[in-house]
Structures are given as structure tokens and as C-alpha cells.
Amino acid sequence: LASSMTFKQRGEAAQNLVARRLFNIMENKQSNLAVSVDLTKSADIIKMVDQVGPHVCVVKTHVDIIEDFTADFVSKLQKLAEKHNFLIFEDRKYADIGNTVCHQYGGGIYKVADWAHITNAHTVPGPGVVQEMSSSGNLATGEYTKETLKIARDHSDFVIGFICQSRICEDPEFICMTPGVKLEGGGDSLGQQYTTPRDAVFSRRTDLVIVGRGITGVTNPEAVANEYRLAAFASYQERISQ
Ligand code: 6AU
């Protein structure tokens, strides 16, 4: 069962090279923390990523909210990914027909396929990647999750995991990533609901927590990122030693 295996064992079980690399980083950096750097100015993002970099396995971006996006931003981000050993996840949530998604992923201004190690897609249009949302009242439940899992298994050369609020499968090679995480729980004014790292990784048995404003919104992001890393990794260790 995935939830009782170590990240090292799961890296060995995975065929997909990105999944293998991610499990490897998680094991080596003792980090199952992704930071979502949802800031709108390139320089602020780069500064934040350099601060939290030592503590994360993944940096997640939303490049379409950046006001001053350039190729230079991408090359700086890539340099930081090498310096701190993390993967870059562009949270683009593709949701259109294949032909349109090909253009959106490979072309346009952002050319996501050139630099993002990981991206994501809704499965509403058919084969893609699951989205099970953290916002209240989301419709991604039941049959949608089941169908998405099937799509993932049918395309396991390309799919490395899911965005989900609790573990949706025990396949060792798929990584369950949970957004909507804050040490103090709660929510925001627009429907976001927060769970704690322990609740996500120990109780709901997911693998990796995605934290945005809980880290980027504080005055000492590096120290707080380390707190989240320790909390999420201890919850993983507690789970596998059960
Ligand atoms: O910690 P926050 O609330 O500041 O940021 C959470 C981040 C945001 C969302 O776009 C994203 O996680 N997210 C996702 C993802 C990762 O796809 C899905 C979801 O259901 N909820 C969610 O918050 O960048």
C-alpha cells in the first residue's frame, strides 16, 4: 500500500522519470512541502523562492498572474530550482480540447512545456489529470474522481499524481498532493478551506502539502517554511511507522 511505503520505495516503484525524481528529492530533503508562490511581481517571486527553496520539494507557480513575466524570470526560476533542488509545478489547470491545450501548454507567451517539470489539468474534457478541489461546494466528487483515476492509470507514463483532499488510491507511483493547508486551519473570504499538515498527511493519508499564503503571507517565510516542512514530514513518518 502506497500510504505505508517510504518515498524511497515509491520512487523505485515509479516508472515515470519526473515521479522518480520527485520521490528522490522528497526523501533526500526530507520535504513533502510544496510552496505556492502566488505573487504578482517577478522580483518578489524570485526573492521568495530563494528564501523558501531549501525547505521545499516543489515550487508551484501561476505564471498568468505575473504582471511583468519575461523569459528572464523563467531562467532565474530554473537557476533556483538547480540551486535548491526542487521541481517547478505550473498550476495551469488545463481544461479544454486537446488541440487548444497543446497550444496553451507548448506555445503562447508562457511556453510552459519548456520549463515546468509538472503541470495539471481538469479531467472534465476527458483524459488528463484529476482536480479534486479544496474550495467549498466544489463538484469534483464521486464518479468524477473514479473516472479520473481510470484516466491516470491508462496514462501512467504521463500522469504522476493528483490534486486531492484525501488519498484517492493506493497505487505507489501516484503522488497525492493537497492544497488548502495552513498550520492554524480556517479559511479565506472566497471559499478556500484550510486543513492542517497533519490532518492532510496523517489522517487523510496524502503525500505532499501545498502551502501558499500560510508561508508567503508571513514576515519570516524561510523559518515558517521550515515549520511546515517539519510538520508535514513528521506526519508522513508517523503514518508509515503505523
Ligand atoms: O494556500 P493558499 O490558499 O494561499 O493557496 C493554495 C494554492 C493556490 C490554488 O490555486 C491551489 O493551491 N489550489 C489547487 C491546485 C493546486 O490546483 C486546487 C484546489 O482545489 N485548491 C487550491 O487552493 O495556488
Side-chain angles (χ1 to χ4, degrees), residues 32 197-203 205-207 209 232 235-236 239:
N32 51 344
R198 189 174 183 278
D199 190 40
V201 177
F202 180 76
S203 311
R205 311 182 87 72
T206 68
D207 296 315
V209 296
S235 305
Y236 150 75
R239 186 184 83 207

Side-chain angles (χ1 to χ4, degrees), residues 35-38 60-62 65 89 91-93 120-122 130-135 138 163-165 177-182 187-188 192-194 210-217 228:
V35 174
S36 185
V37 190
D38 301 335
K60 190 174 80 57
T61 54
H62 279 299
I65 69 171
F89 173 4
D91 184 5
R92 176 60 182 73
K93 300 187 178 71
N120 53 355
H122 290 282
V130 69
Q131 286 291 333
E132 193 183 327
M133 309 296 290
S134 65
S135 46
N138 88 81
I163 303 296
C164 51
Q165 291 298 304
M177 308 185 181
T178 301
V181 173
K182 231 180 199 180
D188 71 8
Q192 177 71 301
Q193 314 173 106
Y194 290 112
I210 299 174
V211 180
R213 288 164 288 178
I215 291 173
T216 60
Y228 275 91

Side-chain angles (χ1 to χ4, degrees), residues 10-30:
R10 291 175 59 191
E12 285 157 8
Q15 297 298 312
N16 183 292
L17 291 180
V18 175
R20 292 183 86 110
R21 214 172 133 194
L22 179 52
F23 280 125
N24 203 291
I25 294 172
M26 290 162 85
E27 183 74 31
N28 289 334
K29 287 179 85 172
Q30 303 220 326

Side-chain angles (χ1 to χ4, degrees), residues 69-84:
F69 178 88
T70 58
D72 180 58
F73 164 76
V74 170
S75 90
K76 283 185 176 140
L77 186 61
Q78 286 176 312
K79 286 206 183 86
L80 290 177
E82 274 170 43
K83 174 179 172 188
H84 296 297

